[in-house]
Amino acid sequence: MAKVTFNEELCKGCQLCTTVCPKNIVIMDTKRINSKGYHPATVVEMDKCIGCAFCARICPDVVIEVER
Amino acid sequence: MAKVTFNEELCKGCQLCTTVCPKNIVIMDTKRINSKGYHPATVVEMDKCIGCAFCARICPDVVIEVER
Amino acid sequence: MTKVFERPKALTDKPFHYCPGCTHGIIHCLVAEVIDELGIREKTIGVAPVGCAVFAYEYFNCDMHEAAHGRAPAVATGIKRVHPDNVVFTYQGDGDLASIGIAEIVHAANRGEKITTIFVNNAIYGMTGGQMAPTSLLGQVTTTSPYGRNPDTEGHPIRVSEMLATVEGAAFIERVSVHDIKNINKAKRAIKKAFQVQLEGKGFAMVEVLSTCPTNWGMTPVESLKWIEENMIPYYPLGIKKEVD
Amino acid sequence: MTKVFERPKALTDKPFHYCPGCTHGIIHCLVAEVIDELGIREKTIGVAPVGCAVFAYEYFNCDMHEAAHGRAPAVATGIKRVHPDNVVFTYQGDGDLASIGIAEIVHAANRGEKITTIFVNNAIYGMTGGQMAPTSLLGQVTTTSPYGRNPDTEGHPIRVSEMLATVEGAAFIERVSVHDIKNINKAKRAIKKAFQVQLEGKGFAMVEVLSTCPTNWGMTPVESLKWIEENMIPYYPLGIKKEVD
Amino acid sequence: MAKVLMKGNEAIAEAAIQAGCRYFFGYPITPQNEIPAYMAKMLPKVGGCFIQAESEISAINMVYGAAGAGARVMTSSSSPGISLKQEGISYIVGAELPCLIVNIVRGGPGLGGIQPAQSDYFQAVKGGGHGDYHMVVLAPASIQEMVDLVMDGFDIADRYRNPVMVLGDGMLGQMMEPVEFKERDIVLPEKPWATTGNKDGEPRRIINSLFIDAQALEDHVHKLYRKYDEMKKNETRVECYNCENAEIIIVAYGTTARIAKNVIQMAAKEGINLGLIRPITLWPFPDDTIDRWAEADHTKAFLTLEMSMGQMVEDVRLSVNGKKPVYFYGRTGGMVPTPRAVLEEIKKIREVM
Amino acid sequence: MAKVLMKGNEAIAEAAIQAGCRYFFGYPITPQNEIPAYMAKMLPKVGGCFIQAESEISAINMVYGAAGAGARVMTSSSSPGISLKQEGISYIVGAELPCLIVNIVRGGPGLGGIQPAQSDYFQAVKGGGHGDYHMVVLAPASIQEMVDLVMDGFDIADRYRNPVMVLGDGMLGQMMEPVEFKERDIVLPEKPWATTGNKDGEPRRIINSLFIDAQALEDHVHKLYRKYDEMKKNETRVECYNCENAEIIIVAYGTTARIAKNVIQMAAKEGINLGLIRPITLWPFPDDTIDRWAEADHTKAFLTLEMSMGQMVEDVRLSVNGKKPVYFYGRTGGMVPTPRAVLEEIKKIREVM
Amino acid sequence: MAQEIIISGFGGQGVMSMGQLLTYAGMLDGKNVSWLPSYGPEMRGGTANCSVILADDMIGSPIVTEATALIAMNLPSLEKFEQALVPRGLLIVNSSLVNKKAKRDDIDAYYVPANEIADQLGNFRVANMVMLGAYLEKTQAVSLDSVMKSLREVLGPSKEHLIPINQKALERGAQLVTSIHQRV
Amino acid sequence: MAQEIIISGFGGQGVMSMGQLLTYAGMLDGKNVSWLPSYGPEMRGGTANCSVILADDMIGSPIVTEATALIAMNLPSLEKFEQALVPRGLLIVNSSLVNKKAKRDDIDAYYVPANEIADQLGNFRVANMVMLGAYLEKTQAVSLDSVMKSLREVLGPSKEHLIPINQKALERGAQLVTSIHQRV
Ligand SMILES: Cc1ncc(C[n+]2csc(CCOP(=O)(O)OP(=O)(O)O)c2C)c(N)n1
Ligand SMILES: Cc1ncc(C[n+]2csc(CCOP(=O)(O)OP(=O)(O)O)c2C)c(N)n1
Ligand code: SF4
Ligand code: SF4
Ligand code: SF4
Ligand code: SF4
Ligand code: SF4
Ligand code: SF4
Ligand SMILES: [Mg+2]
Ligand SMILES: [Mg+2]
């Protein structure tokens, strides 16, 4: 049981987080756009998250918090 | 048969030449003083000179010419 | 549930101004985590460079000094000599450290100045819009090497870590990368070590971090990580270059 | 009888201003002989430093440029790029090259600038009256290290040749000494090689020459030669540090 | 030739190349980066050489070497980088070498900002480096003038064997305007003093700024000052605009001179007669021209308009020498004065006048 | 305390130590080498730290760091070395840090010579670095005054958080005179802005000269200039000597002011009444004082006496503002004017007057 | 009368090139012209803007502080520059990204869904041309002919094939502001 | 009247310290004093010289251009500075190294074989004190008492033992110029 939280307003849509998730559950939310003009990253199927924090670790904008 | 010539006015009396002569014939002429105020180096017993040019080689002020 | 990853205390709340995907942000985060873990935030004084990280003084949540371009090691020396019990670090780009500031880093290292340097090598001048750095790779196209870096006229990329490893005062020098999780973790360990070396008074410590500049490399952030792996690391071998006990 | 030793053509008639027994004079003579032997006097342009050899422009019988302190390699770069077919050399002291001018020499070497550098390491600032140089030995007393050079605060003497040997653009680097006839002869061969490397367009070439400063070392000229042998050479090992074919 | 639309910085670079400049040594800094970029691209195509030096100090010393070797050579930078070049500039003057130095000024002091400023006037004109010396300082107010002055600048530098500085600012460097590159006969002068290799039997060429004997150094400085007298006589340039009946004359150069013209037009609509004296050479300063207008009855006052806290105003005061009041209006740190604010200032002056 | 006989350079160093300066970063250069040598010897004994930096640029940036860290800190150099420090000085001003910078001036431009000169006046006073800024520039004329001004200089620097420059020359640096070190209570001010480590709950301390927003930079520069107004009000120093009935007033500082006193004595013997205005602060310049004497009926003219081609004379002219003629006599390149030659010059002026 | 235009938006929206195109065309039309970019670190991801002046008289300052027209490609641009418009100034807003209206009522405002139109045309990059078309239609500041010539110049032979879609975008922008008069 | 003295010789002849000693003594005597060395690369092997002023009034320039006395330790010094003496100025020449006479006849010249005397005293380094003794005898510029005090100060405790020989040298110099009046 793990949880990731995105501070979406900080996200710059760089996609780095999407490349490291072992569960492939981090994706870009192309439907939304934050106030900086970027599509933010988000997690689908949160229940698959193992809380490895890889996504957070690689995020250059410290967008992601991970709990486990 | 070799010959060394000193351009005495250039000599600064540093004595380096006196330390390298294999024949020990280069000495400081403590009786004379050149216009810069130094005792110049000179050769005694020129006939012993083998023209190795060590003295000239080490002289920092290019005082010495050697012929052979 | 406990937090396994959260914003380090040694970072302020200020969002980074870096371009999307620029790994300066990752490196900031690593430095901040190390400061937190070592519990030295209250005695750390950071020196910001001139380069994209010029605003580092807004991000690191400790006392900060903004140096002139290339002079961070001299500024850090001034600070460290006044406060020998504090922890002083510089954060510098490759233009800053390897080009205009090469004299300052060589001599800080040679004096064995007890400071820690985080050297961000992204093979380009980011802030000024993509000029050639001394670390730019052969053939790399930049605004000032428009036909690709040519070794005949511009020389080869300089390996600063290897060079600094030759001076006696350098106590710890390692090159790391942040292009994947494994390497990010290694990078963190190296940075921690570089601060510990300072705390132990051993001498100068530097970590060279291979980093991206998606904007001026003209790549996506994801492509950029790959470019580090495929192009930079072969020329800039990772690992410890110097370690003194 | 034939002359086996006479004043080289590449020296002017001007008597040197150096102190009695200062080996700057020997080194001048070697450089001039090499220029004569290679027959390149008419195409050689020399760059004089700021240091005791500041008046080198009065002694070398070729076109000369007096550089700012430490900047001879940059000046030489400017000249060489304008006249790539000429032979350009710098003559620099250890304060000039290893301290204020370390950035310029590192980058000239790294660019593989096709110039020849004669680096006179006398472990002190001669011209300004005996201050510590980056190359001063541990414990050496100078006006700015009055209690002897202390590695904790002033760092260890820097081995520039070894450091520069790490950069790709350096094609030939050798350390020599002039404390006795054998070594003087070796020094001459090294200097000749360093000019040949330039003539062959191979890259940057440097010869580091261990040299005396009887005046500021507070010794007689003869004692000074001994001091090179007994104190400098053990720390500054002689020999080729880099050679590229 | 037809007009082309060009950024100021690129126009500078192109003008230099057309003037026969084949060597450029520089180091990146905003807001002048288009100059090295253009040079990096174009110089190799014309057989020239661009080097990004490791620092501004190296750059100016490469210029020193290349100038001594007889090349037409240039460097450019912006404020902090120009500060770093001060020792080198002083050497180049001392050794009597020609070269062109461009400063695209930004706000200071320190790291300051990157927006346009005129706060390096003193540095350029009074001598930021050590010792007694001067440079001709050219202050273009349009991209066209930048081109023309860059070309003239090289000639002036060669004529007197002295560096010439072009003082622009971030606005002039970054803006685009149509510009025409007039055809010029480029005749590079003979440089019998340049280091090229000493041919047997000819005198050696020595580039040097050291004169250890004080009397020799004084003689040398006097020689430089005789050249400066010549420059004052021959090279002073100034534009007078609408001064004939002006009540208040604005003195401004470069960007602020452009603004002054807006002010004059706005003022004319309100029936206020203003003039502009625009020094084109900041050194030599057109003191005679200013003095002449100070003598005129209709001139009641001067207003010096600068993007600084007041630097050129001292030269204006020296020129006016107490004959009329000299006021000052300035913005600094990258702020550009608006025409309207300047007009308001002038109205205030008219009230107290 | 009893008087001791000391070289100017050593007196500067000792004064700094007595003023509580514990950090010195410098690089050797003639004719100021006794300062670093003295510091190297004495600072370790008082728990301070001397570093011979790798260059003048490193030295000024070490000063920048140490000043930011709250230390009383100093550097010294001579002309070419001071040129190299210009960027750093501009940063220190921009970041509002106190420190003392000593320039023992030698002849320029370029490598020039090593004999005494006053040709760095413009650089010191108008700003050799980029951007709008000023430093208090102190010009001692005796070893005793050097000592006193060095001590005052540190206080002034701290009071305004701005660098202070002491402008000497090779003669003042090398000569010996008796000097007394008066006891002072050294109270180093609190520096709540200095980088010392950020205690939890307290605001961080940031040393910085970057203001990327132009309006913010202008605000910052205006803040600096409010300090400069204060300095002008509080720190201007000048000596007037024999001006009461003087027909011609010599304006001179430092070494040339000493010579001027010889001239005045020689002239008095010939029945010529001369005075001396000696600016002790070159910035802020004592323009009010000069203006006051310019107003006086007995004052027929001014003669500015400098070891330069004429630099301070501009400030004198600005102060006099056309009220009386201002003449200039100078030697340069390390030549020191003889009293007799100056007197001859004055006689010539009297003829045309 | 001189046209003094501010064009503003995110970096990447073609704000600078739109300005350059207009300036180039003005030059071809024989006008005095100037183009001035904002530059600085805010270019990174933040807003970018440029000033364009087209005049018959001499141009003094190239900075537009009293704009006759504002082309706002995003919300921050509208908020930052609305107040710089002269009374009766022309405002063209990219309504695809801006869901607010102008606050002032003494200006002529038009809301152009430039991104949608560009998407319809099949290339999201030509949103700027849609806006430019609208501007040109309203002001006739330069001839369409010159704009097309400039375009050809700017795109160069390698991008010749993009001319038609750019022209289309210009036309669609023009049509829009003649049809839907969204005057406030 | 002020004493304005030039002391000149080879580096190593103790020219600078002789000047400092005199200056120090002047200070102890309550006079205004100044000492100014020549400095520069010519110090290297060439000549060294210093200016000393001892005055009751304020001292302006510390450079002596119109000397009341010249102490010439070698030939170049005599040649360089003879013309700087005021009429009736005092010249003291080290005749051990200088085999020429002064050219001027409007000055008081004394020839002191200082090196020989120093050698006789057993320490060639005190030749400068012989010259100083001669100067003091002729001018009474400062008290012998102050000179001895200064000497003690300058030599320091470690060289205390050198005081007697220095004093002897001073005395011998003084005797010489009273006995052999080599006035020109
Ligand atoms: C003296 C000086 N020279 C040049 C500059 C311009 N400048 C700012 S940042 C920079 C280089 C930045 O490159 P780097 O250090 O590699 O950092 P990055 O932006 O790549 O992180 C330059 C040249 C300056 N501010 N000051
Ligand atoms: C910018 C600058 N800084 C300092 C000096 C003073 N200076 C002249 S020579 C020298 C050092 C000389 O030492 P080195 O290079 O070792 O040469 P050496 O005299 O020992 O042969 C220095 C610091 C200067 N002339 N210019
Ligand atoms: S914590 Fe790990 S598993 Fe969970 S979303 Fe992030 S990367 Fe994926
Ligand atoms: S790595 Fe961070 S900034 Fe990048 S897309 Fe993911 S959450 Fe957003
Ligand atoms: S040539 Fe050789 S043998 Fe002859 S004097 Fe010189 S060193 Fe001695
Ligand atoms: S080595 Fe040369 S200078 Fe030295 S004593 Fe011998 S001849 Fe004279
Ligand atoms: S320009 Fe490059 S280094 Fe700078 S923030 Fe952007 S991506 Fe990072
Ligand atoms: S000071 Fe030293 S290096 Fe210089 S000339 Fe004298 S002995 Fe040689
Ligand atoms: Mg970089
Ligand atoms: Mg040396």
Side-chain angles (χ1 to χ4, degrees), chain E residues 150-173:
Chain E
V150 163
M151 293 186 169
D152 291 351
F154 281 107
D155 290 340
I156 296 170
D158 276 341
R159 197 170 314 136
Y160 300 97
R161 290 183 60 187
N162 201 73
V164 167
M165 177 171 275
V166 172
L167 200 70
D169 63 51
M171 195 169 99
L172 290 165

Side-chain angles (χ1 to χ4, degrees), chain A residues 6-8 10-18 26-28 34 38-42 55-56 58-64, chain C residues 20-21 221:
Chain A
F6 290 77
N7 186 348
E8 277 191 0
L10 291 186
C11 178
K12 291 178 185 156
C14 72
Q15 310 193 7
L16 294 189
C17 52
T18 67
V26 189
I27 58 150
M28 304 313 293
N34 67 11
Y38 300 113
H39 297 298
T42 189
C55 54
I58 208 164
C59 172
D61 285 281
V62 208
V63 170
I64 309 172

Side-chain angles (χ1 to χ4, degrees), chain E residues 8-281:
Chain E
N9 284 335
E10 285 169 354
I12 287 173
E14 177 60 29
I17 292 173
Q18 294 204 16
C21 169
R22 289 293 174 272
Y23 298 89
F24 181 94
F25 305 98
Y27 187 78
I29 187 168
T30 309
Q32 62 82 58
N33 288 318
E34 295 82 1
I35 302 178
Y38 196 95
M39 288 301 203
K41 199 159 198 167
M42 304 309 284
L43 279 177
K45 295 191 183 174
V46 294
C49 170
F50 163 88
I51 299 185
Q52 180 174 315
E54 58 271 24
S55 71
E56 289 86 353
I57 293 190
S58 284
I60 193 72
N61 282 287
M62 289 175 185
V63 167
Y64 183 31
R72 192 159 258 206
V73 57
M74 167 174 169
T75 187
S76 68
S77 188
S78 178
S79 309
I82 297 288
S83 288
L84 287 170
K85 293 185 203 243
Q86 292 306 322
E87 189 209 23
I89 292 173
S90 179
Y91 267 77
I92 293 172
V93 172
E96 293 193 87
L97 297 178
C99 68
L100 198 78
I101 301 160
V102 177
N103 184 1
I104 302 299
V105 183
R106 60 190 241 182
L111 190 46
I114 57 177
Q115 301 304 320
Q118 297 182 322
S119 45
D120 297 356
Y121 178 93
F122 275 148
Q123 187 192 55
V125 162
K126 301 299 170 189
H130 59 285
D132 284 302
Y133 74 88
H134 285 292
M135 286 184 287
V136 171
V137 179
L138 302 169
S142 68
I143 313 302
Q144 182 65 56
E145 200 177 29
M146 256 178 172
V147 164
D148 298 340
L149 290 182
V150 163
M151 293 186 169
D152 291 351
F154 281 107
D155 290 340
I156 296 170
D158 276 341
R159 197 170 314 136
Y160 300 97
R161 290 183 60 187
N162 201 73
V164 167
M165 177 171 275
V166 172
L167 200 70
D169 63 51
M171 195 169 99
L172 290 165
Q174 295 296 325
M175 71 183 283
M176 280 181 143
E177 268 184 338
V179 61
E180 190 186 345
F181 289 86
K182 292 153 203 155
E183 290 219 6
R184 286 207 180 205
D185 278 343
I186 302 300
V187 203
L188 298 186
E190 289 289 309
K191 299 187 174 175
W193 42 263
T195 55
T196 56
N198 171 233
K199 300 299 155 280
D200 277 338
E202 286 184 10
R204 290 191 305 131
R205 287 137 181 224
I206 297 173
I207 306 296
N208 175 41
S209 71
L210 171 63
F211 298 85
I212 201 69
D213 174 61
Q215 185 58 64
L217 181 54
E218 183 175 60
D219 292 345
H220 179 66
V221 173
H222 284 163
K223 179 181 170 210
L224 298 181
Y225 274 71
R226 283 194 295 278
K227 295 196 301 187
Y228 298 147
D229 285 341
E230 285 301 302
M231 293 180 204
K232 280 186 197 167
K233 222 181 300 166
N234 304 329
E235 307 302 342
T236 310
R237 301 189 192 189
V238 60
E239 178 193 355
C240 296
Y241 176 81
N242 208 46
C243 286
E244 294 70 23
N245 296 300
E247 178 186 344
I248 296 178
I249 294 180
I250 302 175
V251 188
Y253 69 94
T255 288
T256 47
R258 297 179 71 114
I259 293 163
K261 289 191 181 176
N262 289 135
V263 176
I264 292 168
Q265 289 175 333
M266 284 168 72
K269 288 189 195 141
E270 304 192 23
I272 304 173
N273 208 343
L274 303 177
L276 167 69
I277 299 179
R278 179 171 74 88
I280 298 170
T281 48

Side-chain angles (χ1 to χ4, degrees), chain D residues 94-95 120 122 124-126:
Chain D
D94 45 359
V120 180
N122 60 5
I124 206 153
Y125 285 30

